[in-house]
């Protein structure tokens, strides 16, 4: 009789009690711990990319250093979806406790500022930004195989022939900016839609497109040295240190609104994350980007690495959004 | 572009192979690649992406042996479940299921595994040889194929398929078309329009190759067939699974040097053309083997050539992809995109002159791929006898295990239940395609190559200033157009010959 009672206790009451008490225990103890220290658990680092693409590579490359700086593990996860919708939804719907950090391109963000609606059911501007990783403004490269017969930026802008430009993302930054310039200066710029930056590179080397606009990173500088590409001009108010003979857009009298054409990598968080936690994340990312190892890597890649603070990049994205919205009629064919 | 050494990096490679660390890394990379390749839903690409940060703790001159080994081993390992259970471990192994799985059901699993292992290893070595020999002219080879040439190449594959299909060429045509239509679901890269998505976000990304085609149409449809027709059990007598089969399979590959070299060269050349990839290479190799065979009617019914052709090609792809990746800095495949990304992490800038600037790294990758394929193939051969015994398990037990593996594999891709649903729908479709004899091969070709033909059509049109003349300007385009016309003209005759052989 006694044995039966004990058996019933062990098989029924004890497990039920434990199962009931455990969640309650976790629920009541967790907020107290979280309030004390942040981050209190691993950070889910949501990358808007697919395995192996540029964003995934950079995101995974900085994760170990970021983990060291934040003092907790950083777990990179790729979430992209069609038109990056899954990424934005994942950030929006994550718990606002600061343990979810996003990583997305500035132009993927800008796309929804310029063309709101569509598959995204909310305004991206409602997602707070922690920081933006920036580099040098883009450069306009001419293919050595181009048959346009031009050599300089001035000749490009007075060219009477149709000019093919590589259009390799939802809103290819430099290509869109060049389209706006073409409307102002009166030359005929036509997009050639390519699946990826790699395909755009191949098309430029083959001469299938005349112009490629991209960040003048180490790899592209190699194409310049091998004679495959000629740099025509860089967007910005000053020349790029690694291309001292290439003029900048300000020298060419191009609208100063286009000087911010560069690759921005944004770090958004879900709405409602407390400001002190955003500040802590921001400090962690800044420390990562100024870490000697990361700095050395950027130097080897011949790509200066800088950052914009939360306030700076939020303001910058808003003003870029407003400018491109106003001019969107000029680049409709790029708004896929 | 700097001078390119064509010595094969023998000195550099010998130095590396005297270093025990290199062998440890090749072993570790092969093990990881094997694991990721054998599990459906995971592949070499995911392994590379996940292990990229780990590599940063290694020195650059040896680290790439680790990554190359991962890449090489995953490609071969994907064929193991493809042969044993008709579950392609990676998309590269889709075509291997056609004859590999049939051989398994005939009790020749060990033979099929041996053919796959030896063809994979030798295919990788042949592609490395092709890579070394073609280095001086590699740039010109890569430059031959632009959007117009890619369009005609894929069209050639499309027009030949119905003539090589099952009993009815019209069914083959319907099957190709159905594949193309289903592949068009989602957002068009060219126009940005959403097609057949019914307003859902999930379908905006299209039906994925792994959940829908590899797991659904190929694997789950087999489960359904096994459930609906119990007499078609996989079970074979254990006595048949003798080691003799292993030697039969290995020697079969060695006795077919022309088929082996043809498959490897198709793989290497297709790999060198960015955007086409291993699945296309294995399809084209399979078609070439079938078209040149004296017994084409035996393909799909357990013909060893049907395993040899795709296996030699899909492993040779990495050697071909290395050409564009290492000489131009443009990834020849998604896997190579990750490898180039890892190079950037090391501060090695891909691009022209990479081979002359970093010979240790480049030759490490090239030989790492070849050696790791040999290691993975050896594992495959040694473990083959044990793995082959899995096919002797009663369907009663094997069906639920394979089904759960499929569902887990589908879920792992995006952590989404929708992928499981799509896999189930693909399974039902695959079941009926088989039952009504429409042919899995034409359907899969339409599904995989449909987006290529569409994208390259638009691209060639845009590159040619929105005129069709751009489709007919290069010598390569003209040769491919003539090939298309020849296939259409000679196809019926080829088909009549095939049918006559069948009736005999």
């Amino acid at each position: 009789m006694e044995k039966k009672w004990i058996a019933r206790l062990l098989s029924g009451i004890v497990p039920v009690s434990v199962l009931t008490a455990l969640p309650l225990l976790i629920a009541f103890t967790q907020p107290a711990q979280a309030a004390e220290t942040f981050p209190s658990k691993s950070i889910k680092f949501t990358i808007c990319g697919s395995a192996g693409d540029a964003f995934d590579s950079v995101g995974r490359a900085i994760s170990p250093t970021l983990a060291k700086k934040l003092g907790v593990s950083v777990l990179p996860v790729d979430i992209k979806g069609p038109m990056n919708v899954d990424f934005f939804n994942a950030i929006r719907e994550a718990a606002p406790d600061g343990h979810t950090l996003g990583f997305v391109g500035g132009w993927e963000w800008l796309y929804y500022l310029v063309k709101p609606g569509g598959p995204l059911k909310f305004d991206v501007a409602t997602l707070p930004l922690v920081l933006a990783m920036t580099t040098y403004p883009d450069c306009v490269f001419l293919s050595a195989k181009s048959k346009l017969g031009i050599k300089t930026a001035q000749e490009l802008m007075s060219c009477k022939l149709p000019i093919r430009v590589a259009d390799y993302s939802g809103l290819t930054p430099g290509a869109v900016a060049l389209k706006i310039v073409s409307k102002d200066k009166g030359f005929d710029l036509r997009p050639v839609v390519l699946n990826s930056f790699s395909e755009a590179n191949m098309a430029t080397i083959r001469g299938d497109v005349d112009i490629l606009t991209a960040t003048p990173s180490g790899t592209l500088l190699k194409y310049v040295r091998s004679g495959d590409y000629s740099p025509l001009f860089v967007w910005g108010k000053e020349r790029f240190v690694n291309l001292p003979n290439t003029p900048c857009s300000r020298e060419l009298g191009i609208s100063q609104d286009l000087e911010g054409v560069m690759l921005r990598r944004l770090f958004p968080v879900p709405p409602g994350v407390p400001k002190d936690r955003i500040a802590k994340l921001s400090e962690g990312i800044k420390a990562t980007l100024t870490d000697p190892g990361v700095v050395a890597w950027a130097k080897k890649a011949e790509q200066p690495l800088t950052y914009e603070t939360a306030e700076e990049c939020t303001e910058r994205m808003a003003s870029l959004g407003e400018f491109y919205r106003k001019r969107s009629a000029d680049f409709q064919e790029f708004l896929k | 572009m700097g001078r390119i050494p064509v010595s094969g990096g023998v000195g550099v490679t010998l130095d590396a192979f005297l270093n025990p660390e290199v062998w440890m890394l090749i072993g570790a990379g092969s093990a990881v690649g094997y694991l990721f390749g054998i599990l459906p839903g995971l592949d070499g690409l995911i392994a590379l992406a996940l292990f990229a940060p780990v590599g940063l703790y290694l020195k650059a001159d040896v680290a790439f042996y680790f990554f190359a080994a991962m890449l090489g081993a995953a490609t071969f390992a994907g064929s193991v479940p493809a042969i044993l259970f008709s579950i392609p471990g990676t998309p590269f192994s889709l075509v291997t299921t056609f004859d590999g799985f049939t051989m398994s059901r005939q009790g020749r699993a060990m033979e099929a595994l041996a053919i796959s292992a030896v063809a994979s290893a030798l295919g990788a070595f042949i592609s490395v040889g092709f890579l070394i020999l073609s280095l001086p002219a590699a740039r010109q080879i890569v430059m031959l194929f632009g959007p117009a040439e890619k369009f005609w190449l894929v069209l050639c594959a499309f027009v030949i398929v119905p003539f090589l299909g099952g009993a009815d060429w019209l069914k083959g045509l319907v099957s190709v078309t159905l594949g193309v239509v289903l592949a068009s679901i989602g957002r068009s890269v060219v126009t940005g329009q959403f097609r057949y998505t019914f307003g859902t976000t999930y379908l905006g990304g299209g039906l994925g190759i792994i959940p829908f085609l590899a797991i659904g149409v190929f694997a789950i449809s087999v489960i359904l067939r096994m459930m609906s027709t119990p007499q078609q059990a996989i079970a074979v007598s254990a006595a048949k699974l003798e080691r003799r089969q292993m030697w039969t399979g290995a020697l079969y590959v060695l006795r077919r040097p022309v088929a082996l070299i043809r498959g490897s060269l198709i793989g290497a050349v297709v790999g060198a053309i960015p955007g086409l990839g291993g699945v296309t290479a294995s399809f084209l190799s399979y078609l070439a083997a079938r078209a040149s065979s004296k017994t084409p009617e035996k393909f799909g019914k357990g013909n060893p050539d049907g395993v040899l052709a795709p296996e030699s090609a899909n492993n040779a792809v990495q050697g071909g992809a290395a050409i564009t990746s290492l000489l131009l800095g443009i990834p020849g495949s998604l896997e190579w995109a990750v490898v180039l990304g890892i190079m950037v992490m090391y501060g090695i800038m891909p691009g022209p002159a990479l081979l002359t600037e970093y010979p240790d790294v480049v030759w490490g990758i090239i030989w790492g791929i070849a050696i790791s394929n040999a290691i993975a193939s050896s594992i495959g051969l040694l473990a083959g006898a044990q793995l082959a015994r899995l096919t002797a398990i009663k369907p009663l037990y094997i069906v639920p295990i394979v089904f759960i593996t499929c569902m887990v594999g589908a879920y792992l891709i995006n952590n989404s239940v929708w992928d499981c649903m799509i896999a189930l729908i693909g399974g039902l479709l695959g079941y009926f395609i088989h039952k009504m004899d429409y042919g899995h091969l034409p359907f899969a070709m339409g599904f995989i190559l449909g987006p290529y033909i569409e994208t390259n059509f638009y691209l060639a049109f845009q590159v040619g200033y929105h005129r069709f003349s751009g489709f007919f300007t290069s010598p390569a385009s003209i040769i491919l157009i003539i090939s298309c016309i020849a296939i259409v003209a000679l196809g019926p005759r080829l088909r009549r010959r095939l049918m006559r052989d069948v009736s005999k």
Side-chain angles (χ1 to χ4, degrees):
Chain A
M1 185 70 187
E2 196 179 328
K3 273 184 184 173
K4 260 188 179 177
W5 185 83
I6 292 170
R8 194 186 298 166
L9 184 76
L10 287 174
S11 64
I13 299 168
V14 171
V16 169
S17 308
V18 169
L19 286 173
T20 315
L22 210 62
L24 289 172
L25 203 67
I26 292 166
F28 282 107
T29 54
Q30 198 79 339
Q33 280 176 351
E36 282 166 15
T37 54
F38 173 79
S40 59
K41 58 179 183 180
S42 58
I43 300 279
K44 187 178 177 186
F45 189 33
T46 309
I47 302 168
C48 183
S50 317
D53 70 13
F55 260 80
D56 177 61
S57 304
V58 175
R60 286 179 194 277
I62 63 168
S63 297
T65 316
L66 186 58
K68 275 184 203 161
K69 305 296 177 189
L70 291 173
V72 290
S73 49
V74 172
L75 309 172
V77 186
D78 291 321
I79 301 178
K80 191 174 167 76
M83 296 180 76
N84 313 304
V85 169
D86 292 353
F87 167 82
F88 287 115
N89 284 337
I91 297 295
R92 165 126 174 135
E93 287 157 16
D97 60 1
H99 290 101
T100 300
L101 178 67
F103 190 54
V104 60
W107 287 84
E108 279 75 8
W109 183 280
L110 208 55
Y111 179 89
Y112 287 108
L113 290 182
V114 176
K115 196 181 177 185
L120 199 64
K121 305 296 178 204
F122 66 94
D123 180 4
V124 282
T126 58
L127 302 179
L129 290 171
V130 174
L131 194 122
M133 185 198 285
T134 56
T135 179
Y136 200 79
D138 276 13
C139 181
V140 175
F141 295 100
L142 174 74
S143 165
K145 291 270 177 76
S146 167
K147 291 176 182 142
L148 293 175
I150 61 169
K151 281 183 179 162
T152 63
Q154 286 87 352
E155 287 173 355
L156 173 83
M157 289 178 212
S158 57
C159 185
K160 299 295 173 206
L161 295 168
I163 301 162
R164 298 162 304 178
V165 64
D167 182 15
Y168 53 85
S169 71
L171 198 64
T172 312
V176 169
L178 199 60
K179 184 68 189 177
I180 292 172
V181 176
S182 79
K183 290 284 178 181
D184 295 343
K185 305 272 181 183
F187 60 94
D188 180 7
L189 191 75
R190 297 181 184 182
V192 173
V193 183
L194 294 141
N195 275 327
S196 63
F197 181 59
S198 301
E199 285 193 11
N201 248 329
M202 191 72 204
T204 314
I205 291 175
R206 273 180 47 86
D208 291 336
V209 296
D210 304 297
I211 298 290
L212 173 76
T213 67
T215 303
S217 63
T219 298
L220 292 190
L221 293 178
K222 280 197 168 187
Y223 294 129
V224 173
R225 285 175 209 132
S226 66
D228 289 305
Y229 293 177
S230 305
L232 293 181
F233 71 91
V234 288
W235 303 97
K237 60 184 177 186
E238 56 192 24
R239 294 188 177 203
F240 179 38
V241 64
N242 291 331
L243 292 169
N245 299 322
T246 304
C248 62
S249 60
R250 187 170 286 193
E251 289 174 58
L252 300 168
I254 291 171
S255 168
Q256 290 186 18
D257 288 310
L258 296 169
E259 286 178 0
V261 175
M262 64 163 72
L263 176 63
R264 272 188 182 75
R265 296 178 174 112
L266 307 174
F267 294 87
V269 286
V273 175
K275 282 189 176 171
D276 59 321
R277 294 187 177 195
I278 291 182
K280 203 145 192 185
L281 287 171
S282 175
E283 288 308 313
I285 301 168
K286 273 185 212 169
T288 302
L289 299 181
T290 50
D291 179 85
V294 176
V295 171
W297 165 73
K299 200 176 173 186
K300 272 188 183 173
E302 297 184 88
Q303 190 166 300
L305 206 56
T306 52
Y307 61 84
E308 289 172 345
T309 61
E311 295 74 27
E312 284 168 347
C313 67
T314 305
E315 195 185 322
R316 188 72 183 168
M317 295 314 291
S319 67
L320 279 173
E322 197 181 331
F323 170 73
Y324 282 100
R325 236 189 337 264
K326 273 186 202 160
R327 299 292 305 259
S328 61
D330 291 336
F331 56 88
Q332 272 305 313
E333 67 264 51
F334 287 82
L335 275 173
K336 295 178 296 299
Chain B
M1 202 164 168
R3 190 179 66 83
I4 296 170
V6 288
S7 59
V10 173
V12 175
T13 313
L14 280 177
D15 277 352
F17 285 149
L18 291 173
N19 181 356
E21 195 185 353
V22 165
W23 287 103
M24 279 172 61
L25 287 171
I26 288 181
S30 298
V32 172
Y34 203 85
L35 187 69
F36 275 72
I38 210 163
L39 294 170
L42 302 177
D43 57 16
L45 177 66
I46 295 172
L48 278 171
L50 288 179
F51 280 84
V54 176
L56 288 178
Y57 296 101
L58 304 167
K59 286 182 201 157
D61 56 344
V62 293
F64 286 93
Y65 285 95
F66 175 65
F67 295 117
M70 217 181 270
L71 202 56
T75 310
F76 163 70
S79 307
V80 175
I83 288 169
L84 298 183
F85 306 115
S86 188
I87 306 174
T90 69
F92 283 19
S93 319
L94 274 173
V95 183
T96 308
T97 59
F98 295 144
D99 286 276
F101 180 59
T102 316
M103 286 177 76
S104 265
R105 294 175 68 189
Q106 292 165 352
R108 296 157 66 201
M110 187 61 223
E111 186 187 340
L113 284 172
I115 291 171
S116 166
V118 177
S120 296
L122 294 179
F125 272 102
I126 291 170
S127 79
V128 167
F130 171 78
L131 169 62
I132 293 167
L133 291 175
S134 65
L135 278 178
R139 193 183 163 94
Q140 283 70 27
I141 295 170
V142 174
M143 291 293 159
L144 269 179
F145 284 84
E149 292 79 10
K150 284 186 206 171
F151 168 79
W152 291 116
L153 180 69
V154 175
L155 194 68
C156 275
F158 272 175
V159 293
I160 202 170
V161 167
F163 297 117
L164 297 172
D168 187 347
W169 71 270
L170 196 60
K171 282 186 173 178
L173 195 64
V174 169
S175 199
V176 170
T177 312
L178 183 65
V180 172
V181 170
L182 290 178
S184 70
I185 290 176
R187 182 170 170 264
S188 162
V189 176
V190 182
T191 63
Q193 299 293 314
F194 285 94
R195 299 181 296 204
Y196 315 119
T197 58
F198 307 103
T200 61
T201 307
Y202 176 80
L203 286 176
L207 301 172
I209 287 183
I210 298 179
F212 179 71
L213 192 68
I215 295 178
V217 174
F218 280 80
I220 293 181
S221 72
V222 170
I223 295 172
L224 293 175
R225 263 146 56 195
M226 286 164 70
M227 286 163 69
S228 63
T229 51
Q231 69 276 18
Q232 286 187 349
I234 288 178
V236 289
S237 159
K240 287 186 180 178
L241 302 170
E242 293 170 358
R243 281 192 180 272
R244 186 164 45 86
Q245 275 190 19
M246 183 173 89
W247 296 112
T248 309
L251 290 173
Y252 184 85
V253 179
L254 299 175
R255 287 188 189 124
R256 308 276 295 153
V258 175
L260 177 70
I261 292 169
R262 182 183 53 224
S264 307
L265 289 183
I266 288 174
V269 172
V270 170
I273 305 168
L276 287 180
V279 188
T280 312
S282 50
F283 269 117
L284 292 179
S285 177
Y286 186 84
L287 289 180
R290 195 166 169 170
S292 60
S293 172
K294 287 177 184 168
T295 53
E297 75 283 359
K298 288 184 180 170
F299 275 75
K301 294 171 186 168
N303 188 336
D305 279 343
V307 178
L308 196 163
E311 285 301 296
S312 54
N314 66 24
N315 283 272
V317 159
Q318 300 302 352
I323 293 175
T324 33
S325 310
L326 299 175
L327 294 189
L328 296 173
I330 293 169
S333 64
L334 285 173
E335 292 79 6
W336 276 98
V338 185
V339 174
L340 294 185
I342 296 169
M343 283 185 182
V344 175
M345 284 188 210
Y346 277 105
I348 299 169
M349 285 299 109
L354 181 73
L355 192 54
T356 45
E357 286 174 11
Y358 298 99
D360 297 13
V361 170
V362 172
W363 291 114
I365 294 172
I366 292 171
W367 287 109
I369 288 175
I371 304 282
S372 65
N373 258 290
I375 290 176
S377 303
S378 306
I379 296 172
L381 273 176
L382 292 172
Q386 308 309 320
L387 291 170
R389 285 177 196 281
L390 291 174
T391 57
I393 298 171
K394 283 182 183 174
L396 178 68
Y397 304 114
I398 208 91
V399 163
I401 293 168
V402 172
F403 182 74
I404 290 168
T405 309
C406 287
M407 287 294 102
V408 171
Y411 183 79
L412 279 178
I413 301 160
N414 292 309
N415 297 333
S416 165
V417 179
W418 283 104
D419 283 331
C420 300
M421 300 291 288
I422 286 298
L424 290 173
I425 294 169
L428 279 174
L429 182 71
Y431 174 77
F432 285 110
I433 284 176
H434 182 266
K435 197 174 170 72
M436 296 160 84
D437 198 25
Y438 277 82
H440 278 161
L441 172 67
F443 176 79
M445 280 207 68
F447 190 81
I448 287 168
L449 298 182
Y452 286 130
I453 204 161
E454 184 197 4
T455 310
N456 284 299
F457 175 81
Y458 272 112
L459 204 49
F461 191 60
Q462 289 177 329
V463 166
Y465 298 100
H466 294 213
R467 286 194 293 266
F468 286 106
S469 55
F471 284 84
F472 310 99
T473 47
S474 77
S477 286
I478 302 295
I479 292 170
L480 289 166
I481 292 167
I482 292 169
S483 306
C484 279
I485 295 167
I487 292 166
V488 173
L490 300 174
R493 188 180 293 179
L494 178 75
R495 182 160 187 85
R496 273 198 298 277
R497 200 192 85 185
L498 198 153
M499 288 298 108
R500 203 168 48 238
D501 290 342
V502 171
S503 60
K504 275 178 189 173

